[in-house]
Amino acid sequence: MFPVFVKWERGTCVMKLWKAWKLKTKLVLSFSFLFAFSIILSGIFYYYSSVSELKKQTLQLLDSNSTQITRTIELYIEDMEKLSLSVFNDLLVQTVLSHSEKTNEAEDASLNQQMTSHLLNTTVSWPSVQGIFLYPVENKAITYYWAKRGPFFGYSIVDEPWYPYIETYTQSPYLLWPTMTENTITNFLGVKVFSLIRAINQIPTGKKIGYMKMDMDISVMKDLVSYMEYGDAHDSSLFILTDQGNVIYDSQDQWTGKIMEGINVTELIGKNTSGTLNWQGKSYLFGVYKSDHTEWTTLILKPMDSITKRLKEIRNTVTSIELLILLLVIVIAWFIATGITRPLRTMIITMRHVERGDFTIRSSQTDHRNEIGQLGRVFNQMLDSLQEMISQVYVAELREKDARLLALQAQINPHFLFNTLNILKSLGRKGATTDVVEVTESLAHLFRYSLYDWNGTVELSEELNLIQSYIKIQTYRFQARFTYEQNIPERLLKARILRLMIQPLVENAVVHGLEQRRSGGLISVNVQADDEILEIFVSDNGVGINIQTQELLNQNFAEIDIHSSNTQSEHMGIALLNIQKRLHLIYGDKYGLSFLHKPGGGTTIRLALPLHFE
């Protein structure tokens, strides 16, 4: 499961990376990949199919050439055999080898001279013959010969490497001895020869009277074999081999006269007449054919490198051309992708301006003949329609907002008046004329303050002065039953807030929280702020609200509908509802009222406003 999971994770990462790339990058990479993949795939197919076809043709040619070369060598060996038969049937040769009587030195010298002259005349038309040697059976110490380079003094048949085998050799009338360096006294150049050896029988008795050895210069093979028939001599190799691995001839002249290592000739012949093999760490194509007449095997080796060399050159040339074309495709793809993405980027910039509220900007696409131009034209038309619609909706909302704020103001002013008139009525019944004047002045302050623009803001210090006026009014009503305190950092006194935000909260604390207390009441206003939010806490130590009711009130605050009337909830006063609606109308749902749990009793309500100083 783990490898599958890792593979899935890698695939997911690749997909995420692909999605994160720009459209221009995707287009360029896609075009380049498809072209590169197609040319690489076609190049590989062409290369290997060409190699396969060329290999097939080369094997056929090697098979044919090995057969032709074998036949050519057979014909030459047949001619050698005819030459050996002419020596075999020669009267002088028969006479000298049949002579069994002892001779003196003078007679031996005379016979040697006659045989040398006679053998020279016999081979005059055979320039490749290096020498003919005659060995009498009756006298093994004597050797009659003609040779371009004379043998060592005292040289006889027993010094020949083939002598132990000739007595038992019966496979053919003659024996072909593998190539070896000529064993002569003047062979300073190391001439290599192969030999035809046969027994000489007396005519007509058939009695064996001697042996004949005919040495042939191995260079004659160069005249018999045409390199053009089986390939370039510099990369192909021709071998004439025996079943034991003795190399009769090597066209590269590295193995001639040696035993070939690493190739089993018998096993190679038993498979096919052509194929592939590995030799000395390299791969070769081979053609092989064994002669039934000479028992020699012709083996032609051609390195696989020479087969593919030209194709590799062509492949490299084609690859270079394809790389240039690929580069051209990348450039063209880049220009095409840029032509597509540049207008889109311009349109994205335009859309971002629209996103920030600028509906006057328009797309600059003027070419309507393509899809991008048509998209720009439709986008501009959409902006025109959207701007017109927004203007209509915006004006309608502003009118609706002003109407609702006026309605809220109309609700709050009677609310203030009703509560204050109750206080004045109580004071008037007591005959407290001076107190009535002070309450009336405080009430006038309240009304003057509430008559200003509700959409505008005032400094926090002005709102606190309004609370002082309200507290003065309530002091005449409740006397010493409660005290008022405030804790406001001096820097926040200049903060801007909406009118009549705090006074209704203080009023709510007095009326609902402290009305039933006979003494010891406390109302406090605390203000704090961070970088963005101004928080005002109005607390009292009155009867308090249980947790369930607080949660219900907070939920109602959060879900309040600014378009609904104020009669939907019996748990909140009109003033609190109006404050919440005003905040949502002007600042949004992020700001507003919320009740906080206060350990030890009492109530704390939090008012959150955006922090502004201007």
Side-chain angles (χ1 to χ4, degrees), residues 33 60 62 65 91 127 199 288 320 332 336 345 347 368 387 423 437 444 502 535 540 584:
F33 173 77
Q60 292 175 350
L62 292 177
N65 285 341
L91 180 59
V288 63
S320 301
I332 294 175
I336 294 175
R345 287 199 304 270
M347 189 167 294
H368 301 329
Q387 186 177 14
I423 296 173
V437 172
I502 306 177
E535 294 180 307
D540 65 73
H584 282 191

Side-chain angles (χ1 to χ4, degrees), residues 556 559-562 564-572 577 581:
N556 290 336
E559 297 176 354
I560 194 169
D561 184 4
I562 61 176
S564 65
S565 66
N566 289 338
T567 60
Q568 64 176 353
S569 175
E570 297 178 358
H571 301 286
M572 289 185 288
L577 288 172
K581 288 184 178 181

Side-chain angles (χ1 to χ4, degrees), residues 20-50:
W21 283 345
K22 294 182 179 179
L23 178 60
K24 181 170 73 172
T25 305
K26 290 180 180 180
L27 288 173
V28 173
L29 288 179
S30 298
F31 279 122
S32 304
F33 173 77
L34 290 175
F35 179 79
F37 179 77
S38 62
I39 62 176
I40 290 174
L41 190 63
S42 60
I44 291 174
F45 174 77
Y46 170 77
Y47 175 74
Y48 283 102
S49 61
S50 299

Side-chain angles (χ1 to χ4, degrees), residues 239 241 245 260-266 268 277-279 299 301:
F239 299 92
L241 303 142
M260 194 171 192
E261 298 177 355
I263 295 180
N264 190 324
V265 179
T266 305
L268 197 63
L277 60 84
N278 291 319
W279 181 52
L299 173 64
L301 297 181

Side-chain angles (χ1 to χ4, degrees), residues 531-545:
D531 293 337
E532 296 181 357
I533 298 178
L534 177 69
E535 294 180 307
I536 302 172
F537 301 92
V538 178
S539 302
D540 65 73
N541 60 351
V543 295
I545 305 174

